[in-house]
Amino acid sequence: MTDSVLRVENLKVSFSGKDGKLTAVNGISYRLMAGEILAMVGESGCGKTVGALSLLRLIPEPPGKIETGSVTFNCKDLLKINPQELREVRGRDIAMIFQDPMTSLNPVLTLGNQIMEPLLRHTSLTHKEAWEKAVEILRQVEIPSPVEKMTQYPHQLSGGMRQRVMIGMALTCSPKILIADEPTTALDVLIQAQIIDLLQHLKEQTGMSILLITHDLGMVTEIAQRVIVMYAGEIVESGPARELFHTPLHPYTLGLKNSVPKLGQKKETNKRLVEIPGNVPSLNQLPSGCAFHPRCPSVMERCKIDKPVLREVGHGREVSCWLEGNPS
Ligand code: SF4
């Protein structure tokens, strides 16, 4: 069996505000295996991004607070190591890319300087060697005319090219793990497909593991080996991507699947896309019992009272739902 490179146990994260304390991530546990792409999916507000940022203690504290849990990487708990050790892990061992590259790229520094910065900080490369490595990285993420781009500024690139630069920057120190938070959301469909291809290609080349945060279940089936589905701060289903997409066990997963357009289907045979009714509940007004029950087409009386727990159902799958069979 493949080894895990990251083990998350019982991670619970809250935020304090004028409405009191809100639990954004409520005791999630999972493993990221060596060389896999693990996708975390769910609508906005389900806790995916907070969960991912907490792995590297990147949530603002206060108002955020990591209440419980552990994040084990290289036999160390990232939630307990000192700030110096954590800085070493960030960027060198675990890198992160975000939805909007413009918020992460410095507009007044050339791309070359920004790519070289982690190389000069985390490695013993000379300035000349760092320059050459930075050009090589731009080439690796398929940026045309990489030498020329070294002296350009972020605003001189298209959105897709900027995202490629961000991915390149994340890869400078050959991280073991890449956390990609909605890396394609701000891009048009064609460029999205190119970025997904690039991530897959880089994963195969480097052997790194990728935690991919997204709201798009359709996209993950093309790239991920396993999927975690989150709702209201908790994992409601997880399993191998293909099986989970073909036979969802949780009505929420089925709702996400039904809202994905199917490529290649003729218009006349294409079923109408079905939206999941209602909205993600506010974290300070979670419904009783199963948090999904007000939106669930399969809701039963029991669901309104008793909260289901995540249970293993075989073949590497887990689900948190009172239904015995598949939802419809
Ligand atoms: Fe729906 Fe009940 Fe399952 Fe919740 S526990 S997802 S309400 S069937």
Side-chain angles (χ1 to χ4, degrees), residues 249-252 289-300 302-304 306-308 320-323 327:
L249 298 174
H250 196 284
Y252 181 57
C290 170
F292 188 58
H293 89 249
R295 306 174 74 189
C296 181
S298 308
V299 61
M300 303 169 281
R302 178 184 192 184
C303 309
K304 301 174 187 173
D306 296 334
K307 186 178 157 89
S320 151
C321 176
W322 292 122
L323 280 180

Side-chain angles (χ1 to χ4, degrees), residues 7-246:
R7 201 173 70 238
V8 179
E9 298 283 350
N10 195 28
L11 180 65
K12 184 171 177 181
V13 186
S14 66
F15 286 86
S16 299
K18 60 178 171 33
D19 296 329
K21 195 160 86 171
L22 309 175
T23 303
V25 174
N26 193 11
I28 63 171
S29 301
Y30 64 93
R31 286 168 186 229
L32 176 64
M33 312 309 274
E36 80 166 345
I37 299 182
L38 172 65
M40 195 172 265
V41 301
E43 295 159 288
S44 297
C46 67
K48 316 179 295 282
T49 295
V50 171
L53 291 172
S54 304
L55 302 178
L56 291 173
R57 286 158 46 191
L58 287 171
I59 57 159
E61 292 190 59
K65 185 173 182 210
I66 297 173
E67 303 263 357
T68 61
S70 61
V71 177
T72 308
F73 171 75
N74 262 353
C75 305
K76 286 184 180 163
D77 183 355
L78 301 184
L79 303 184
K80 296 214 169 72
I81 59 176
N82 66 45
Q84 173 63 28
E85 284 179 291
L86 187 61
R87 266 195 299 277
E88 292 296 313
V89 171
R90 285 180 192 160
R92 187 192 61 190
D93 297 318
I94 304 180
M96 199 157 180
I97 55 171
F98 300 94
Q99 184 181 128
D100 180 6
M102 270 319 258
T103 57
S104 308
L105 290 170
N106 188 329
V108 298
L109 288 180
T110 62
L111 300 173
N113 279 334
Q114 296 188 60
I115 300 169
M116 285 161 62
E117 197 262 345
L119 289 169
L120 294 170
R121 175 147 39 105
H122 292 297
T123 71
S124 54
L125 294 184
T126 63
H127 193 275
K128 182 170 180 293
E129 288 166 338
W131 174 277
E132 283 162 4
K133 175 82 178 166
V135 173
E136 186 191 314
I137 286 166
L138 287 179
R139 207 167 271 131
Q140 200 183 4
V141 293
E142 296 160 18
I143 298 266
S145 314
V147 176
E148 194 184 307
K149 297 289 187 306
M150 287 287 284
T151 54
Q152 292 189 347
Y153 293 87
H155 73 269
Q156 294 175 281
L157 270 64
S158 66
M161 285 295 150
R162 284 197 290 263
Q163 193 55 286
R164 284 172 188 270
V165 171
M166 278 302 304
I167 295 170
M169 282 171 64
L171 299 180
T172 46
C173 296
S174 309
K176 293 192 179 62
I177 298 172
L178 176 69
I179 301 172
D181 185 11
E182 302 273 9
T184 62
T185 302
L187 306 172
D188 70 44
V189 176
L190 186 65
I191 308 296
Q192 280 184 12
Q194 291 174 1
I195 295 293
I196 290 302
D197 278 354
L198 176 66
L199 285 175
Q200 190 150 28
H201 176 67
L202 291 170
K203 189 215 76 158
E204 276 155 22
Q205 258 187 350
T206 63
M208 68 182 170
S209 308
I210 300 180
L211 177 62
L212 175 67
I213 314 291
T214 178
H215 60 274
D216 185 346
L217 184 60
M219 184 248 279
V220 306
T221 54
E222 290 174 27
I223 181 174
Q225 281 74 60
R226 287 191 306 128
V227 179
I228 287 173
V229 182
M230 284 196 65
Y231 189 76
E234 296 184 3
I235 295 173
V236 295
E237 180 164 4
S238 73
R242 198 174 292 259
E243 286 85 340
L244 184 137
F245 190 72
H246 283 296

